[in-house]
C-alpha cells in the first residue's frame, strides 16, 4: 500500500484542491475505488465532491466515524464514496481534547478493517 501525504502548515495553498483532483483521477482515469473521508469542519472537500455529482454520498458522517465503532459493511458499496464532514459536530469534537485519542483509535480501527477487507475482496 502506498501512502501519499499532502501537507503544508499554511492555509489555502491547495491541499484540498489537489486531494479532490487526485480522487477524480484515481476513480475516473485509473478506475480505482475511492473513499473520501472529509474530517475538516470547513467541508471544502465535501462541497467540491458533492458538486461533481459523481461520488455516492454516504449516510455516515465524519463525526460518526470518529465517535463510534462503525461496521465497514455500513459504508456504501460503490466505486466512489464520500463520507462528508459535518461542520457543527466536528467543531464540537475539536474542543473535546480528552477524547481525541479515542477519536483517532476509532478512525484507525475503521481504516484497518477497511484495508484488510479490500485485500481479501475478489
Ligand atoms: N495552485 C492553485 N491554482 C489555482 N487555484 C488554487 C491553487 N491552490 C489553491 N487554489 C484555490 O485556492 C483556494 C484554497 O485552496 P484549498 O482549499 O485547496 O487550500 P488548503 O491548503 O486545503 O487550505 P486549508 O489549509 O484551509 O484547508 C481554493 O479555492 C483553490 O481552488
Ligand atoms: Mg483544505
Amino acid at each position: 500500500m502506498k501512502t501519499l501525504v499532502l501537507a503544508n502548515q499554511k492555509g489555502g495553498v491547495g491541499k484540498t484542491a489537489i486531494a479532490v483532483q487526485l480522487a477524480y483521477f484515481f476513480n475516473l482515469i485509473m478506475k480505482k475505488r475511492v473513499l473520501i473521508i472529509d474530517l475538516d469542519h470547513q467541508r471544502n472537500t465535501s462541497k467540491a465532491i458533492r458538486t461533481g455529482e459523481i461520488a455516492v454520498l454516504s449516510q455516515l458522517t465524519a463525526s460518526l466515524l470518529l465517535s463510534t465503532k462503525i461496521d465497514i459493511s455500513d459504508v456504501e458499496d460503490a466505486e466512489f464514496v464520500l463520507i462528508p464532514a459535518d461542520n457543527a459536530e466536528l467543531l464540537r469534537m475539536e474542543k473535546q481534547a480528552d477524547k481525541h485519542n479515542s477519536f483517532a483509535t476509532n478512525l484507525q480501527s475503521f481504516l484497518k478493517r477497511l484495508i484488510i477487507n479490500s485485500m481479501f475482496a475478489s
Side-chain angles (χ1 to χ4, degrees):
M1 188 181 84
K2 290 180 185 160
T3 302
L4 182 62
V5 178
L6 307 171
N8 194 314
Q9 211 170 359
K10 193 167 157 55
V13 292
K15 300 180 292 289
T16 294
I18 290 171
V20 168
Q21 292 308 311
L22 279 175
Y24 282 116
F25 173 75
F26 286 133
N27 180 250
L28 297 177
I29 310 295
M30 303 296 286
K31 307 295 178 196
K32 302 276 187 196
R33 293 185 76 195
V34 171
L35 170 65
I36 297 190
I37 305 169
D38 185 3
L39 297 167
D40 185 346
H41 64 74
Q42 294 184 100
R43 293 179 294 171
N44 292 336
T45 303
S46 302
K47 287 176 209 158
I49 296 294
R50 290 181 75 154
T51 303
E53 293 184 346
I54 294 174
V56 171
L57 182 65
S58 175
Q59 57 177 348
L60 300 171
T61 59
S63 67
L64 205 61
L65 204 69
L66 293 171
S67 58
T68 52
K69 188 172 177 193
I70 296 288
D71 191 313
I72 56 166
S73 63
D74 290 342
V75 180
E76 283 71 3
D77 188 17
E79 292 301 307
F80 193 1
V81 179
L82 166 69
I83 297 182
D86 41 346
N87 167 272
E89 196 57 19
L90 286 174
L91 265 176
R92 196 179 63 77
M93 293 169 79
E94 195 171 298
K95 294 179 187 132
Q96 299 176 302
D98 57 323
K99 294 189 181 159
H100 284 184
N101 277 347
S102 124
F103 297 156
T105 303
N106 283 332
L107 177 63
Q108 187 184 41
S109 140
F110 172 80
L111 292 176
K112 265 189 194 160
R113 282 178 282 125
L114 204 64
I115 289 165
I116 289 168
N117 186 268
S118 72
M119 282 163 65
F120 292 104
S122 53

